[in-house]
Amino acid sequence: MDMIENIQSFIRPELLVLVPVLLILGAILKRAQAVPDKFIPAILGLAGILIAGLSVFANSPLATAGDWLTAVLTAFVQGVLCAGAAVYVNQIYKQKNKSE
């Protein structure tokens, strides 16, 4: 199983678009030099959770407490996975272009 298939097996299809969005956000933060590099993955994680949360809450029936808890957990996990995939893809790109 290659990396793309692996990512697709864990991240909801409607949230896969979040991976390139977070890659772009990370590149913007890096270029702006407004944030130390060590904080960029954490910021991407929080942004991923928030954006995934918007999608999950907009598309979930929230009738019971269980529905709410499921939506919160899903948003958290999907946001972290999307941010992790974005950071992973960025690192693969960097390492591929690195000469040793």
Side-chain angles (χ1 to χ4, degrees), residues 7-30:
I7 290 171
Q8 289 176 335
S9 69
F10 291 107
I11 298 174
R12 288 182 168 192
E14 66 271 16
L15 292 174
L16 280 173
V17 71
L18 189 52
V19 175
V21 168
L22 292 171
L23 270 167
I24 292 167
L25 177 60
I28 290 169
L29 290 172
K30 177 85 172 163

Side-chain angles (χ1 to χ4, degrees), residues 15-63:
L15 292 174
L16 280 173
V17 71
L18 189 52
V19 175
V21 168
L22 292 171
L23 270 167
I24 292 167
L25 177 60
I28 290 169
L29 290 172
K30 177 85 172 163
R31 284 216 172 121
Q33 297 178 349
V35 178
D37 288 351
K38 66 181 181 179
F39 295 127
I40 292 176
I43 292 169
L44 294 180
L46 289 174
I49 292 168
L50 291 173
I51 297 168
L54 291 173
S55 174
V56 169
F57 282 102
N59 296 306
S60 297
L62 300 172

Side-chain angles (χ1 to χ4, degrees), residues 64-80:
T64 66
D67 293 340
W68 279 90
L69 291 174
T70 300
V72 169
L73 179 62
T74 301
F76 179 80
V77 170
Q78 292 296 305
V80 169

